[in-house]
Amino acid sequence: MAVADNLGSMRQYGSKFISGFTTGQKAVTILAVVALALGGLFYARVVAAPSYAPLFTGLAPTDAAAMTAKLEASNIPYQLADGGATILVPQPDVNQQRLDMAQAGLPADSTVGLSILDKVGITSSQITQQADYQRALQGELATTIEAIQGVTSAQVNLALVSNDVFAISNNQAPSASVLVTLAPGTTLSSGQIQGIVHLVASSIPNLTPANVTLVDQNGNVLAAPGMDTSSSSNTTATDSYNQALETSLQGMLSSLVGPNNAVVRVNAVLDFNQVTTQTQSVQTNKNGTPVTAPTQVQTATQNFSGVGSPTGGVLGSITTGTATGTTGNSTYKQTNNTTNYALGQTNQTVIQAPGQVQHMSVAVLLNSRVKGVSLNQVRSLVAAAAGVVAARGDTISVVQMPFSTLAAKQAAIAAAATASSGSTSQIFSLAKTLLLVLGILAVLFLILRSSSREYSSEIPLSALPISHEELIESHVKQLPPVDAPALSGDVVDFIESQPDDVAKLLRVWMSSSNKGN
């Protein structure tokens, strides 16, 4: 019974508290409670939403399918990105799921390398060993090529020569073919092509770069036997030289005549032939005399004693000594000394590196609107900076002409249009925000207005012909007869303690009764 009385008193207190609000105040309170509830629900959903992190990236379709199936079986939420190649899971589950996937053998390692040779038994045949060795080399080369930027996957096929010692002929040279899959929008440069070709050729004994074929996923032949790839590399080297020289000259002239007032073009012809020069000359000393050294010395001595004349000397020899005697009995002594000398020689071999400049032509165009510029000074300055050699056939031309202003005007118009579009978008964004704020303010104004109308319909105490004490006393007298203890209890104490609140409540009742009448 006491509990029921307490509930009843609480209900009456709640009704009394709610009746103290006007209709507008009730509407504002309800809207505030609803907005607070919706905001709390939205915040709870944002806080409760898990933060996803990549589990694995760059997955093959088969690996991605196996992983998603395992995640679904474990009731782990996941998201797919990059066309299914990336799997995202909640951040707290990343480490555990990676361990679970590794335990399940995912992602499957389809790369074949030298590790397969660990499984070769001693009872395997020579053909099996040769096949496993070839597969291992192909897998290792494919993995190495995939490390090059722009190459997503690679496949290498080798045609090796049999190592059978009983083979009749092993004159056939090994060859290789490489298929590369490039990332979208990626093109291999000539240097990268040569790098892949030489990488494969250097990994296989007796394999030359001329026997390596390189093809991309679109079937474009990048390198093949009999295909001359040096022309493309030579063209690239020539373009790089011209561009570097043009940039250097352009920067120098911009400091002289200002930016966008000079145009430089360089056309150089480079010699990519590798020339070997051998020179043989006589070695000389500081005085210009050839340097000689004796290589052979011979000495011959003859003695004669008898009747007759002595014999003559040896032709071409140096004879020293004195022969004595008469037509009768005579004696003589002859000594021959022969010395052979060798001249000093110098042998020199010079290998000229390719890429030497055969001749070049430089063209410079200056804006005639720039005054105070001497063409001869510009010509001398450019010739010295570019290394122009007249004896080599180099030419230089400096011309002064008015530049067209159409490009500058179009650039200014484009910049103005870009700035205008940016300012327009900012104005639209500001207008949307302003309209939203105005709408909210309008709703609040209507609510407050309805609340003020409801409040203005109440009868103020100053407009009553009697005082609020007389008003309370008259309404108390009109109340139905009740038990004295109930009326003289809490109600009378409340009326005496808070007469203003009771008067306000009576005003509301009077207003309601007037509307009803």
Side-chain angles (χ1 to χ4, degrees):
M1 189 67 181
V3 176
D5 293 340
N6 291 332
L7 291 176
S9 61
M10 291 178 62
R11 189 180 298 110
Q12 291 178 1
Y13 180 77
S15 301
K16 187 185 300 183
F17 177 78
I18 295 174
S19 62
F21 290 93
T22 62
T23 305
Q25 292 174 344
K26 292 179 181 179
V28 173
T29 304
I30 293 173
L31 290 177
V33 172
V34 172
L36 183 61
L38 292 177
L41 180 61
F42 177 75
Y43 179 76
R45 292 189 61 181
V46 170
V47 172
S51 177
Y52 284 84
L55 180 63
F56 288 100
T57 59
L59 295 173
T62 54
D63 293 334
M67 287 184 178
T68 53
K70 183 172 179 57
L71 291 174
E72 290 177 356
S74 302
N75 294 325
I76 301 297
Y78 65 89
Q79 295 179 354
L80 298 178
D82 299 334
T86 301
I87 298 179
L88 305 174
V89 297
Q91 179 69 40
D93 299 332
V94 171
N95 296 330
Q96 184 62 41
Q97 290 304 315
R98 285 179 180 175
L99 295 177
D100 294 343
M101 294 300 173
Q103 186 178 6
L106 296 173
D109 187 9
S110 59
T111 303
V112 178
L114 294 175
S115 58
I116 65 173
L117 299 179
D118 298 336
K119 303 177 182 179
V120 177
I122 60 176
T123 58
S124 59
S125 62
Q126 184 179 1
I127 297 176
T128 303
Q129 294 178 0
Q130 182 70 19
D132 291 340
Y133 176 69
Q134 183 170 341
R135 288 178 56 203
L137 289 179
Q138 294 175 169
E140 291 291 339
L141 287 174
T143 304
T144 305
I145 295 173
E146 289 173 357
I148 298 176
Q149 185 177 5
V151 179
T152 58
S153 63
Q155 181 179 353
V156 180
N157 296 320
L158 300 176
L160 302 180
V161 179
S162 177
N163 294 327
D164 191 0
V165 295
F166 298 102
I168 298 177
S169 177
N170 284 335
N171 295 328
Q172 185 178 1
S175 60
S177 61
V178 182
L179 174 64
V180 292
T181 301
L182 305 178
T186 302
T187 303
L188 294 180
S189 63
S190 59
Q192 290 176 319
I193 294 174
Q194 293 295 325
I196 294 175
V197 170
H198 286 279
L199 177 66
V200 176
S202 302
S203 302
I204 306 301
N206 301 325
L207 178 61
T208 61
N211 290 332
V212 178
T213 301
L214 178 61
V215 183
D216 63 5
Q217 75 273 19
N218 297 322
N220 299 321
V221 180
L222 306 179
M227 182 177 178
D228 186 13
T229 59
S230 61
S231 59
S232 59
S233 60
N234 295 344
T235 303
T236 303
T238 303
D239 294 340
S240 300
Y241 178 81
N242 293 337
Q243 186 176 3
L245 191 55
E246 289 174 1
T247 303
S248 177
L249 296 176
Q250 189 80 41
M252 181 185 65
L253 293 178
S254 296
S255 302
L256 178 64
V257 298
N260 302 325
N261 286 320
V263 178
V264 181
R265 292 293 180 267
V266 178
N267 185 12
V269 177
L270 305 183
D271 185 8
F272 292 96
N273 296 326
Q274 189 172 4
V275 180
T276 302
T277 303
Q278 295 181 353
T279 304
Q280 184 176 8
S281 61
V282 177
Q283 186 178 9
T284 59
N285 55 20
K286 61 181 180 179
N287 298 324
T289 304
V291 177
T292 59
T295 58
Q296 185 178 10
V297 178
Q298 294 180 353
T299 302
T301 302
Q302 293 182 356
N303 295 321
F304 178 78
S305 177
V307 180
S309 59
T311 59
V314 180
L315 181 63
S317 62
I318 299 177
T319 304
T320 60
T322 304
T324 59
T326 60
T327 57
N329 294 331
S330 62
T331 60
Y332 71 93
K333 184 178 179 181
Q334 183 179 17
T335 302
N336 297 325
N337 294 325
T338 303
T339 304
N340 296 328
Y341 291 92
L343 295 175
Q345 296 181 352
T346 302
N347 298 325
Q348 185 178 9
T349 301
V350 178
I351 300 178
Q352 184 178 358
Q356 299 294 327
V357 179
Q358 289 184 336
H359 59 83
M360 73 167 66
S361 60
V362 182
V364 179
L365 178 61
L366 299 177
N367 190 359
S368 60
R369 293 184 176 87
V370 179
K371 304 301 181 181
V373 179
S374 175
L375 298 183
N376 293 329
Q377 292 180 353
V378 172
R379 184 180 293 105
S380 301
L381 186 64
V382 172
V388 175
V389 180
R392 193 174 54 190
D394 298 348
T395 59
I396 179 173
S397 176
V398 180
V399 180
Q400 198 172 24
M401 298 178 65
F403 280 18
S404 175
T405 59
L406 180 60
K409 291 181 180 179
Q410 291 178 351
I413 293 174
T418 303
S420 177
S421 62
S423 61
T424 303
S425 61
Q426 291 179 357
I427 291 173
F428 282 152
S429 177
L430 182 61
K432 291 179 181 179
T433 305
L434 183 59
L435 289 176
L436 180 60
V437 173
L438 290 177
I440 295 174
L441 292 177
V443 173
L444 293 176
F445 175 75
L446 293 176
I447 294 174
L448 293 176
R449 185 178 180 183
S450 62
S451 175
S452 63
R453 286 180 178 177
E454 183 68 24
Y455 180 78
S456 63
S457 64
E458 300 174 356
I459 301 175
L461 291 175
S462 59
L464 294 176
I466 58 177
S467 62
H468 62 278
E469 291 84 357
E470 296 176 352
L471 177 63
I472 296 172
E473 184 177 358
S474 62
H475 277 75
V476 170
K477 292 179 179 180
Q478 295 178 4
L479 292 175
V482 294
D483 297 336
L487 184 60
S488 61
D490 297 335
V491 176
V492 176
D493 293 339
F494 179 77
I495 293 174
E496 293 178 354
S497 61
Q498 298 181 1
D500 294 336
D501 294 338
V502 175
K504 183 179 179 180
L505 181 59
L506 292 177
R507 285 203 315 268
V508 175
W509 289 348
M510 291 178 63
S511 176
S512 301
S513 61
N514 292 333
K515 290 181 179 180
N517 296 330

